[in-house]
Amino acid sequence: MTGTADDPVAMLNAGLAQLIPVAAAMGVEFTELRPGSVRATVPFEGNGNHFGVIYAGVVFTVAEVLGGAIHFATFDASTHYPLVRGVQIEFVAPGRSRLTATASLSDEEVARIRAEAVPGAKVPFVLDAEVVGEDGTVVARTRGDYQLRPFRA
Amino acid sequence: MTGTADDPVAMLNAGLAQLIPVAAAMGVEFTELRPGSVRATVPFEGNGNHFGVIYAGVVFTVAEVLGGAIHFATFDASTHYPLVRGVQIEFVAPGRSRLTATASLSDEEVARIRAEAVPGAKVPFVLDAEVVGEDGTVVARTRGDYQLRPFRA
């Protein structure tokens, strides 16, 4: 582990190989973790398909991991864990470069989730993410249905 | 290449490392390729997350690759290639074993697509897939929006 509690980005990146080995193998890295706002990136190299574009499952992954990341960055990871219930992904343009996925929750939504996430409670939330290439081209948009699940029901 | 034109499953599996390296690295393998009906599988080993369940991006992938597979098995790969436009995935239960994804098109839908896939034409189709564990538990359902794209527009 190269990260510390003072550097949550380094800490989460160092742990990703244990948390989600498949995502780590793709080269997914978090680049921003702030309460209510997260960002991750994935390289082009190794992730292309036979058309020379980043494979759909990689685009899905760099966006989907933001659900766990925003939980880690925003909510109480000692009482709840995040579960993905469903994702809609729209592929807008081919990904031909490193991709960056960004997602955020409004202050009001963060406050709602925090208020509802009492011990034992399941709390649903929706996270929209946008995936862009190096030149800013939107490659994909996702809408994920997540749920905070209590460690002890 | 271990496959031949007489054994399309072996041929497509042998090519997967070149076609979609990320999917091959997960251990995705096709097990059935018939016109209008395809099936793929992915092992548990190496694909889990920190909860001990198969990561969402792997579930997505074993279902999503069926769109390309059904094209390969059913339509004319010399005139058109398949493009994924969007996917809805619903995670129904945690995947704790090898997963198998199955998808099919009705005879009527196959006939429609074949009739519309004249040179130069873009032909949309929807493919529903179901992902099950070794005990038959439904782990996920997907609905993919695909398009046959002509090699020469």
Side-chain angles (χ1 to χ4, degrees):
Chain A
M1 300 286 283
T2 58
T4 73
D6 292 340
D7 187 349
V9 169
M11 188 169 66
L12 194 55
N13 284 329
L16 190 63
Q18 279 70 51
L19 294 168
I20 310 176
V22 166
M26 292 174 185
V28 169
E29 289 186 358
F30 299 100
T31 56
E32 183 182 317
L33 295 170
R34 292 186 296 116
S37 183
V38 291
R39 190 180 299 254
T41 182
V42 71
F44 177 84
E45 292 71 26
N47 290 320
N49 65 12
H50 52 120
F51 299 136
V53 305
I54 295 190
Y55 171 59
V58 176
V59 182
F60 174 94
T61 295
V62 74
E64 193 287 315
V65 295
L66 297 180
I70 205 154
H71 169 72
F72 176 80
T74 315
F75 305 116
D76 187 345
S78 73
T79 61
H80 288 74
Y81 64 91
L83 190 74
V84 61
R85 306 291 303 276
V87 177
Q88 292 178 45
I89 182 164
E90 177 194 5
F91 297 98
V92 180
R96 303 187 187 279
S97 66
R98 173 175 287 277
L99 300 182
T100 298
T102 308
S104 59
L105 295 172
S106 68
D107 292 347
E108 294 72 19
E109 183 68 349
V110 168
R112 176 192 69 83
I113 296 166
R114 283 181 173 157
E116 294 183 11
V118 296
K122 298 177 181 178
V123 186
F125 70 97
V126 172
L127 191 67
D128 291 334
E130 190 172 79
V131 182
V132 302
E134 279 181 340
D135 64 356
T137 303
V138 177
V139 168
R141 293 189 183 90
T142 65
R143 167 157 290 191
D145 290 309
Y146 293 88
Q147 192 179 58
L148 294 195
R149 286 286 184 102
F151 280 114
R152 300 175 184 195
Chain B
M1 299 286 284
T2 58
T4 71
D6 292 338
D7 186 350
V9 170
M11 186 168 69
L12 193 55
N13 285 328
L16 190 63
Q18 279 71 51
L19 293 168
I20 311 176
V22 166
M26 292 175 184
V28 169
E29 289 187 358
F30 298 100
T31 56
E32 182 182 319
L33 294 170
R34 292 187 296 117
S37 183
V38 289
R39 188 180 301 252
T41 183
V42 70
F44 177 84
E45 292 72 25
N47 289 320
N49 66 11
H50 53 120
F51 299 136
V53 304
I54 295 190
Y55 171 59
V58 176
V59 182
F60 174 93
T61 296
V62 73
E64 193 287 314
V65 295
L66 296 181
I70 206 156
H71 168 72
F72 176 78
T74 315
F75 305 117
D76 187 345
S78 73
T79 61
H80 289 74
Y81 63 92
L83 190 75
V84 61
R85 305 292 302 274
V87 176
Q88 293 179 46
I89 183 165
E90 176 194 5
F91 297 99
V92 180
R96 303 187 188 280
S97 66
R98 174 177 286 277
L99 300 181
T100 299
T102 308
S104 60
L105 294 172
S106 69
D107 291 347
E108 293 72 18
E109 184 67 350
V110 168
R112 176 193 68 83
I113 297 166
R114 284 180 172 158
E116 292 183 11
V118 297
K122 299 177 181 177
V123 185
F125 70 97
V126 172
L127 190 67
D128 291 334
E130 189 173 77
V131 182
V132 302
E134 280 180 339
D135 65 355
T137 302
V138 176
V139 168
R141 293 189 184 91
T142 64
R143 169 159 289 191
D145 290 309
Y146 294 87
Q147 192 179 61
L148 294 195
R149 285 286 184 101
F151 280 113
R152 299 176 183 195

